Amino acid sequence: MIATRVRFGGLQNIVQRQFCSSLQPKRYGLAQYQHTLNVAPASALISDTKTTLPVSSRGQSINYLRSDLECTAGTMNDVKQTIIQKLGIEVGYTPFVSTREHLVKYVPQSVSALPPRSMQDSFTSAIIPLTTDKILKDKYVGFMGNVRVGRLMEDMDMFAVWVVHKHVLVPDLPEGVSLPYTFVTVLVDKIDFTDLVPTHDADIRLSGHVSWVGRTSVEVVVWMEQKLHGKWRKLTRALFLMAARDATNTKAAFINPLVPANEEEKTIFDGGESRKKRRIQMQQEDLLKTEPNDFEQRMVHELFVKSIDTKSKAFNKRILPPGYVWMEDATMANIVFSHPEDRNAHNKVFGGFLMRNALELSWALAYNFAKRRPKLEHISDISFHHPVDVSSMLNMQAHVIFTDLHYMEIVVLADVYDAVTGQQTTTNSFYYTYSVAERLPKIMPKTYHEAMYYLDGRRKFRYAMGIDTATASAAAPPTDTTKSKL
């Protein structure tokens, strides 16, 4: 797991702040969210029409995206500075982080000691001001003039932490005392992309809220939109699973329970429960714990038979059938050095930094494999297994592990490499689904462990495409006629 709180480098310089007209916590209309299993259509717009929801249990009507309401938290740089202030973090790198042991006594000892919260309490939004900040724009623009998606993943990770900050309320915390929590990204469940390609010269907005809460874990749904021709249009939606830890990040900490304020929030919360059950099921069916099912075993055998010379009766004489590529030849690797600017509040490597480097490596492999520029369709699973120390040497390896028609599934594994002992420890895994216009060659595993990668890639691909999903995905931006069905 990676503690993904604050990345100290990057956005610290000159940022022209675009404060919204009101910094009071306004929210989107939760009743308007719709359920999507696949990629939302490019025509799905964030309407600027004034829509008033029914009165909630709090007795307030919520205006959905009023024309005078652009954001509630300022810019992403404002968000970062606020997180630093709330956690009481000292700015400036030192090899040793200041102790937070004095905050442990303020950590709630039970869920009952914390007041319940609704989804409306945590709803927030922030702007990436690409239209006004040229220095910031240079950090986001890609060589083709579009926005680097890896940079956006960094922002979504930080923004998810900010949403959790909005959810947490410790009533007995004395004024002036820093928040006695550490929030850790456990995994990113699923990210879907629309056909809209983000540009580098239009503002981008992140918005989201807490969608489910356990005793010490919390699920956050985050949307990203870009303002084009006066309207906010959806770019992507992501689900982050965060863990609440104590001030020293040594044990789990209780978090405010989530009590739905109305029927729409209850529907969203029930979807979070379904996704939790599905994650448990996936862990039980993991190929590292259980053998492939009968259908998958037959599939592996059929691939094996296709790749040998049956006339020779020799199992070790492998041949590559037409239209196939050996899995071992569809790979790419990169050595990444982490530096203090890539750290979080606890001198560990910022999770968004890992997400950005993994995504850009996967895109390079997809480009090289397809021989044409690919489109990122889904990020189906990002897992944080171990923290990464600053100054670590990371060996990132990307593999094309499954293809189907014009789609490819790529896994990126991040290993911490010890140059002295030569040992590698896998800290993160990332799964990406790309597409191109033309049909792709099929992947042929050569060894048993590659066959397991193939089956794992097939499972991830079918989940990303909404083929094998048994649960509903997170809420999508609204339409006027569709209610949220998580």
Side-chain angles (χ1 to χ4, degrees):
M1 296 188 296
I2 296 294
T4 56
R5 249 51 42 226
V6 181
R7 188 174 186 267
F8 287 82
L11 300 179
Q12 268 186 333
N13 297 324
I14 303 174
V15 176
Q16 294 183 6
R17 299 184 177 182
Q18 284 191 342
F19 287 105
C20 37
S21 58
S22 172
L23 295 181
Q24 297 303 315
K26 303 291 187 347
R27 291 99 183 177
Y28 280 3
L30 297 176
Q32 300 285 334
Y33 295 144
Q34 75 177 43
H35 157 60
T36 55
L37 288 178
N38 297 315
V39 180
S43 60
L45 299 180
I46 301 296
S47 172
D48 60 358
T49 303
K50 183 175 179 180
T51 304
T52 302
L53 297 184
V55 177
S56 71
S57 61
R58 294 171 173 264
Q60 298 175 337
S61 296
I62 304 168
N63 290 335
Y64 168 70
L65 194 58
R66 295 183 345 215
S67 59
D68 64 337
L69 179 61
E70 293 291 310
C71 62
T72 63
T75 67
M76 280 301 298
N77 188 62
D78 297 324
V79 167
K80 184 185 70 173
Q81 299 303 329
T82 303
I83 293 175
I84 290 175
Q85 184 180 10
K86 290 188 67 175
L87 294 179
I89 299 170
E90 295 182 3
V91 179
Y93 174 73
T94 59
F96 305 100
V97 182
S98 299
T99 179
R100 302 182 78 219
E101 293 181 2
H102 63 287
L103 298 175
V104 172
K105 62 183 179 181
Y106 299 110
V107 177
Q109 299 302 306
S110 66
V111 174
S112 60
L114 294 167
R117 307 282 278 166
S118 75
M119 296 178 191
Q120 300 174 34
D121 292 320
S122 61
F123 190 92
T124 183
S125 56
I127 295 288
I128 304 173
L130 299 182
T131 57
T132 58
D133 193 324
K134 294 183 179 180
I135 295 178
L136 183 68
K137 185 187 299 184
D138 284 345
K139 295 180 179 295
Y140 282 78
V141 64
F143 66 91
M144 295 176 61
N146 57 340
V147 174
R148 295 169 60 185
V149 178
R151 286 287 188 193
L152 300 181
M153 294 301 100
E154 286 185 289
D155 288 325
M156 293 181 82
D157 189 39
M158 184 186 298
F159 185 79
V161 175
W162 171 238
V163 171
V164 181
H165 274 260
K166 295 283 290 182
H167 173 82
V168 170
L169 177 62
V170 183
D172 297 331
L173 188 66
E175 185 177 354
V177 176
S178 301
L179 193 66
Y181 280 96
T182 301
F183 301 116
V184 177
T185 303
V186 178
L187 60 87
V188 184
D189 194 345
K190 191 177 182 183
I191 304 178
D192 296 330
F193 293 86
T194 68
D195 291 331
L196 186 66
V197 178
T199 64
H200 70 287
D201 54 358
D203 287 350
I204 291 175
R205 179 174 64 185
L206 295 94
S207 56
H209 65 86
V210 169
S211 54
W212 174 86
V213 172
R215 292 173 62 83
T216 62
S217 58
V218 54
E219 181 189 81
V220 177
V221 58
V222 177
W223 295 273
M224 183 173 287
E225 310 145 66
Q226 188 162 46
K227 195 168 189 178
L228 301 172
H229 308 294
K231 292 184 178 181
W232 290 104
R233 300 187 61 184
K234 181 190 173 185
L235 296 174
T236 183
R237 186 275 289 128
L239 285 168
F240 288 80
L241 184 66
M242 318 290 292
R245 310 279 292 174
D246 68 3
T248 59
N249 195 20
T250 55
K251 64 179 182 178
F254 295 110
I255 197 169
N256 298 75
L258 182 63
V259 177
N262 49 48
E263 288 301 318
E264 279 66 44
E265 291 193 6
K266 185 178 185 304
T267 303
I268 295 173
F269 184 86
D270 291 342
E273 288 285 352
S274 298
R275 288 185 290 275
K276 175 187 176 182
K277 293 177 181 178
R278 189 191 182 281
R279 285 192 291 266
I280 294 175
Q281 180 182 355
M282 291 179 64
Q283 292 174 356
Q284 294 172 345
E285 297 175 353
D286 191 290
L287 290 170
L288 292 174
K289 299 179 180 178
T290 61
E291 63 184 20
N293 59 44
D294 292 343
F295 178 81
E296 291 173 330
Q297 292 186 42
R298 288 195 302 270
M299 184 182 299
V300 169
H301 183 262
E302 290 173 359
L303 288 170
F304 171 73
V305 172
K306 285 182 180 179
S307 64
I308 62 171
D309 184 0
T310 55
K311 296 180 181 179
S312 67
K313 303 297 183 182
F315 291 109
N316 61 341
K317 293 184 178 180
R318 306 296 296 273
I319 59 174
L320 186 66
Y324 282 81
V325 173
W326 292 119
M327 185 181 291
E328 64 182 17
D329 294 331
T331 185
M332 185 176 289
N334 188 23
I335 297 295
V336 177
F337 293 93
S338 58
H339 300 282
E341 69 169 332
D342 306 315
R343 77 193 188 280
N344 60 30
H346 311 282
N347 273 16
K348 301 297 181 181
V349 174
F350 174 52
F353 170 80
L354 300 172
M355 292 169 63
R356 171 168 60 86
N357 280 276
L359 189 148
E360 293 180 350
L361 177 61
S362 72
W363 190 93
L365 173 59
Y367 191 6
N368 184 68
F369 181 78
K371 310 305 180 188
R372 53 190 55 83
R373 290 187 177 92
K375 178 183 181 297
L376 179 61
E377 298 283 357
H378 308 277
I379 303 177
S380 57
D381 186 14
I382 297 177
S383 299
F384 297 86
H385 308 298
H386 302 284
V388 179
D389 293 326
V390 172
S391 76
S392 293
M393 186 185 298
L394 285 163
N395 179 16
M396 286 193 167
Q397 300 182 27
H399 309 271
V400 180
I401 54 178
F402 181 78
T403 61
D404 191 357
L405 300 177
H406 56 282
Y407 294 94
M408 71 186 91
E409 191 73 18
I410 293 178
V411 62
V412 177
L413 301 175
D415 296 345
V416 171
Y417 177 72
D418 189 325
V420 177
T421 63
Q423 294 182 341
Q424 297 189 57
T425 302
T426 300
T427 59
N428 304 84
S429 57
F430 312 81
Y431 289 86
Y432 306 94
T433 305
Y434 287 92
S435 69
V436 293
E438 291 77 11
R439 192 179 185 120
L440 292 167
K442 297 179 180 180
I443 291 293
M444 177 61 71
K446 186 179 285 187
T447 64
Y448 187 78
H449 85 269
E450 287 184 352
M452 295 302 101
Y453 264 141
Y454 180 91
L455 296 180
D456 190 43
R458 179 179 177 272
R459 290 181 179 184
K460 291 293 193 297
F461 171 75
R462 292 176 67 85
Y463 170 62
M465 299 300 293
I467 301 173
D468 283 347
T469 180
T471 62
S473 62
T479 63
D480 290 337
T481 58
T482 308
K483 288 188 176 181
S484 170
K485 297 178 181 179
L486 293 189

